[in-house]
Amino acid sequence: QSVTALDHVLLMPTGRTARQCGLLSDSLRPKLVRVMQLAEKKGCKVSLVDQREGSVVRGAATCALVELETAQMLDQLKQVLTKSNSLQSLSEPQLQDIFDRLDTAGDGLLQPAELKTGLELLGIQRDLSLLLKELDIEEGEAVTVEKFMSWWHRNVKSARVVTLTSAAAWKQLLQLEPPEGFGDLILLEVTFTFCRSCRSFEPKFRKIAEAYPSVRFVQLVGNGTIGAMELVNQELKCEKSPAFFIFRRGGERLDYWTGANAERLQEHLDAVLQGKDAKTDAAVSSGA
């Protein structure tokens, strides 16, 4: 039996140590000179790379973590197609990866037949003609990656809860104009994948989001990326989870508390909303 030979090994530092004391890869490179030389003699190249936030790793032998991330991305596609009220904001490389997986012909276009097959593989029952209408596609026309991404972003904007995994996505959201129907307040919940109380509180968080339609509810996965870990540790200074923050668009922080307690969350949110209404009434009465 033949054994597949390795021709290229990629080492990708992850976790909290990846950016401490400079890039971890810079510290590792001098220690791996001998390994790289030996590998080169065997016809194998060893490279150290840094994964950027929102990027996608592809290959024949990607690790379990990368495969898990891919499965989660496909699960998010399923959430969009089934009109879930809680969606994850994905980066363009991640959306491109989903598109490429559906594009079985590899021609950069999604034909209706490819889309239908993709839905069946995901176990989703959707009227294809209605879905093509959502995608702003005429009958017989193929779906481009641009229209696919535009359709995704429209769905995420209208979702009651948006899940983020990167610092860049959070900072971008803070600066964006609120979607139609939303005000300028953002309620941020910082969660972690290992946090049991975060998981158990999620249904309540979604239910509360339905009761406050003008407030943008956001979940940030604190250990989703290196950038997210730096954000929650260094900027937000989270010591417990789940942690909650209320921000105004533009970046002004209005409130902060911790603990999975629905009543406390509503009390904090109501207090901020009442304070905002009082300021608005005062401005109107003064003619400002």
Side-chain angles (χ1 to χ4, degrees):
Q1 294 183 350
S2 62
V3 178
T4 302
L6 291 176
D7 59 2
H8 199 167
V9 175
L10 296 177
L11 301 179
M12 183 180 299
T14 60
R16 298 188 183 189
T17 60
R19 289 186 183 175
Q20 291 180 359
C21 302
L23 292 174
L24 185 59
S25 57
D26 291 340
S27 302
L28 284 174
R29 190 168 283 107
K31 303 179 188 304
L32 294 174
V33 172
R34 178 64 176 162
V35 173
M36 292 178 174
Q37 291 173 344
L38 290 172
E40 190 174 356
K41 289 181 179 179
K42 298 288 186 180
C44 179
K45 182 179 179 181
V46 177
S47 300
L48 276 164
V49 296
D50 298 301
Q51 185 181 9
R52 293 177 298 173
E53 282 195 317
S55 61
V56 174
V57 180
R58 302 181 187 180
T62 53
C63 66
L65 178 60
V66 172
E67 291 300 331
L68 176 60
E69 288 175 351
T70 300
Q72 289 171 335
M73 286 191 296
L74 291 175
D75 181 64
Q76 283 303 308
L77 173 61
K78 190 172 183 178
Q79 296 296 322
V80 170
L81 290 166
T82 54
K83 299 295 184 181
S84 172
N85 68 346
S86 178
L87 299 176
Q88 181 172 338
S89 178
L90 299 180
S91 66
E92 288 195 6
Q94 290 170 329
L95 291 174
Q96 180 73 58
D97 189 58
I98 292 176
F99 183 89
D100 291 344
R101 287 170 184 270
L102 296 174
D103 178 21
T104 54
D107 58 0
L109 295 171
L110 273 183
Q111 303 297 335
E114 291 175 313
L115 197 53
K116 183 175 184 296
T117 301
L119 295 182
E120 291 172 351
L121 290 173
L122 289 168
I124 299 171
Q125 299 296 323
R126 279 292 303 273
D127 186 304
L128 187 60
S129 61
L130 291 177
L131 178 56
L132 290 174
K133 187 176 180 180
E134 281 183 28
L135 287 159
D136 194 24
I137 299 298
E138 299 292 336
E139 186 175 351
E141 186 182 355
V143 182
T144 63
V145 67
E146 290 79 14
K147 288 201 172 184
F148 178 78
M149 289 186 181
S150 177
W151 166 76
W152 182 282
H153 291 311
R154 286 199 304 272
N155 278 275
V156 169
K157 279 186 177 181
S158 62
R160 291 305 319 141
V161 179
V162 176
T163 301
L164 307 176
T165 58
S166 74
W170 163 245
K171 291 176 180 178
Q172 181 184 37
L173 186 146
L174 267 182
Q175 302 305 321
L176 289 175
E177 288 294 321
E180 185 177 351
F182 288 90
D184 64 347
L185 291 185
I186 301 173
L187 175 61
L188 172 69
E189 178 191 15
V190 176
T191 70
F192 294 88
T193 55
F194 52 78
C195 174
R196 292 184 180 180
S197 58
C198 297
R199 290 195 297 270
S200 62
F201 188 69
E202 189 168 340
K204 293 181 181 179
F205 188 74
R206 295 183 183 183
K207 187 175 180 180
I208 295 171
E210 295 290 342
Y212 294 86
S214 66
V215 179
R216 168 58 90 196
F217 279 64
V218 178
Q219 288 180 316
L220 174 65
V221 183
N223 59 332
T225 60
I226 297 170
M229 287 189 285
E230 290 179 344
L231 174 67
V232 299
N233 289 324
Q234 298 174 15
E235 294 186 37
L236 298 178
K237 300 188 184 303
C238 296
E239 297 180 352
K240 296 180 181 179
S241 62
F244 298 92
F245 301 81
I246 299 178
F247 283 88
R248 197 187 308 280
R249 295 270 178 175
E252 181 186 1
R253 191 166 106 175
L254 304 174
D255 203 355
Y256 163 69
W257 70 98
T258 61
N261 185 299
E263 290 74 20
R264 189 188 307 162
L265 188 155
Q266 290 179 284
E267 287 173 4
H268 280 267
L269 187 52
D270 287 340
V272 171
L273 286 169
Q274 289 167 10
K276 181 184 176 185
D277 292 341
K279 288 181 180 179
T280 301
D281 293 341
V284 171
S285 63
S286 66

